[in-house]
Amino acid sequence: MTDTLTVGEAVGRVLAERGVAHVFGVVGSGNFMVTHGLVAAGVPFTAARHEMGAACMADAYTRLTDRVAAVSVHQGCGLTNAMTGIGEAAKSNTPILVISGDAAVGDTIGNFAIDQDALVASVGAVPRRIHSAKTAVTDAVAAYDYAVRHRAAVVLSLPVDLQAESCPDIPEIAAPPRVIPAGASTAGLSELVEVLAHAERPVILGGRGARHAAAELSALAAQTGAILAPSAAARGLFAHEEWGLDVMGGFASPVARELIREADVLVAFGVALNQWTAHRGTLTVQPTLVQVDDRPGAFGKHRDVTFGVMGDTAAVAAAVTELLTARGPARAGYRTPQTAERLQRGRYWVQDLPEEQKHADRIGPAALSAALDAMLPMERVVVPDGGNVNLYPGAFLRVPDERGFVMPLSFQSIGLGLANGIGAGIARPDRVAVVGTGDGSFLMGAVELDTAVRAGLGMVVIVYNDDAYGAEVHLFADQPEKHGIVRFPETDIAAVARGFGCDGVTVRTLGDLGAVQDWLDGPRDRPLVIDAKIAGDPSPLMAEHAMH
């Protein structure tokens, strides 16, 4: 770099060189120059319509590609608009870099002046900042490297007065240090070997921290006779395994729940074991529960375990498999003809649809989901939104592999699904992004339909429309006289979608799905929004599976 650059331009350029793969944002005066610096250096830019949407798009993009996406926002209000999306990324350990303008150094009373560092830290993200023109480049590189090394959402604040200063000679930046994944201690490996050597019904659970370890976990399961199950964050990890379940947790099928509960050993690789994966503890009742993770803070964070083994999930699984193989032949374990029959019968929800109440002008969400699962291409990325309907896209729509599912539910917010689906569609243009959302969730972020149309995304948005905040209808089913504050007049969501330039169809019966097939047979050069009119009856299925 020999040309004279402003700090804003230099920061954008060096972050592009460090590895930012894509930038999503809403551009204002406080982030105009740094965004231009990224774009001028060759980083693709997607202009979102709202900062929260930009953060969600970056989160999904990074989850699917393992490449750092950036979010660019204006100072103050631009950053506050993005905070729910940033909080979701932080709680999901997604390494994104948020580049935010900030008030001028010393400005505490201006319209945009807030304590950005305190705001960022309050949602579990990591605050970093540009301190001076002299340190700008090294400050920016350090923020990027921290995000990658610690799998963290990092917010880099750039005071507007510093951005306009000339950047002095830019130093040579050293390559990031190589970090070699560690295996477990000899004691940890030995104890895990003993547990699995004597297990009769072992289950191996793989989470987002084990997405790189699919082969090693499969080999370990084959040696021990274990059933394989992914957490929701890693759904699809064992999609092609004969002895693999679809998912563990609130989205698990009844058969999957039975098999997991009956296990005598559960070994969780790279899984948080939170209340959703454990389903309030009902799926972690095994006599022996072992956790394998590379972060010391993970052990016992959400529930007590028999013991923890610290190390890279792939390295630990490979080492344990080698030690067990040296001891003797593979064990049959849980892989019996009886287990095979149960898997064949109920691995997926769509194999055994629940009973649904009949309505003349309302479609059953389970029947709808099963029909769409059969119609839509399997090369898909499924994105469930928050809210009471998330079971249907989260469990009824199958996925091709671990890169076929994005679950933006760590913050338990609604309204993030559409933007995450856009990020998924941009990250994986070879697949159809399929978003499943409720009417309340959809309308919170509907403005991003404009972004999807401009990007030419052939994505599918299924709106399970019960004209309500359905979670509250279900949670307070015994108090129907109080539901008026969470029910709404019927909304023509298909018309709203067409107003943005999407294709929109209304579905009240399975016979209405012909319009979906027409879209599938066409060019798919714009989003399809399905306004699925579902019944708002309180559902025992939702209360049991998705609401806890």
Side-chain angles (χ1 to χ4, degrees), residues 121-370:
S122 72
V123 297
V126 179
R128 289 290 185 267
R129 61 179 44 253
I130 301 298
H131 296 285
S132 69
K134 184 177 180 179
T135 64
V137 168
T138 54
D139 290 340
V141 168
Y144 177 93
D145 288 352
Y146 189 97
V148 173
R149 189 177 305 118
H150 296 277
R151 301 196 294 272
V154 174
V155 178
L156 178 65
S157 292
L158 288 75
V160 290
D161 53 336
L162 293 183
Q163 287 188 49
E165 291 186 18
S166 295
C167 196
D169 293 336
I170 297 175
E172 288 292 327
I173 303 298
R178 290 193 310 118
V179 178
I180 300 172
S185 67
T186 301
L189 292 175
S190 297
E191 192 160 352
L192 184 51
V193 164
E194 288 302 319
V195 163
L196 288 172
H198 296 94
E200 296 182 358
R201 296 178 305 282
V203 171
I204 290 175
L205 173 63
R208 190 173 168 197
R211 289 197 309 177
H212 67 294
E216 290 82 0
L217 295 182
S218 294
L220 177 59
Q223 183 64 28
T224 58
I227 292 175
L228 291 153
S231 70
R235 187 170 175 234
L237 187 61
F238 307 118
H240 303 293
E241 289 284 343
E242 178 185 0
W243 297 97
L245 298 172
D246 183 35
V247 66
M248 173 172 163
F251 294 158
S253 70
V255 168
R257 290 176 182 232
E258 293 170 3
L259 289 169
I260 292 168
R261 288 192 186 108
E262 293 168 16
D264 59 343
V265 172
L266 175 65
V267 186
F269 286 82
V271 184
L273 291 177
N274 57 33
Q275 65 169 327
W276 313 106
T277 301
H279 199 242
R280 311 185 309 279
T282 64
L283 298 182
T284 50
V285 295
Q286 302 77 16
T288 302
L289 177 60
V290 183
Q291 193 172 2
V292 180
D293 209 286
D294 64 357
R295 300 166 298 165
F299 302 106
K301 181 177 180 180
H302 294 284
R303 62 199 62 255
D304 293 334
V305 296
T306 308
F307 64 90
V309 179
M310 192 163 76
D312 174 76
T313 52
V316 171
V320 172
T321 302
E322 183 177 355
L323 291 169
L324 285 169
T325 301
R327 291 175 61 139
R331 294 165 52 85
Y334 217 167
R335 300 186 174 194
T336 66
Q338 293 78 15
T339 302
E341 187 277 328
R342 293 166 75 183
L343 281 171
Q344 186 69 24
R345 172 168 46 86
R347 187 195 314 264
Y348 301 106
W349 267 107
V350 292
Q351 294 173 291
D352 186 18
L353 292 181
E355 291 288 333
E356 296 185 303
Q357 297 185 40
K358 304 296 183 182
H359 295 267
D361 62 346
R362 294 273 169 166
I363 191 168
L368 167 72
S369 303

Side-chain angles (χ1 to χ4, degrees), residues 56 69 82 101 106 111 121 152 161 176 224 236 262 284 288 291 367 394 403 418-419 458 464 467 469 488 498 534:
C56 293
N111 288 357
D161 53 336
T224 58
E262 293 168 16
T284 50
T288 302
Q291 193 172 2
R403 303 291 175 172
L418 175 59
Y464 295 86
D467 304 313
Y469 289 138
F488 299 92
R498 288 191 291 269
I534 67 169

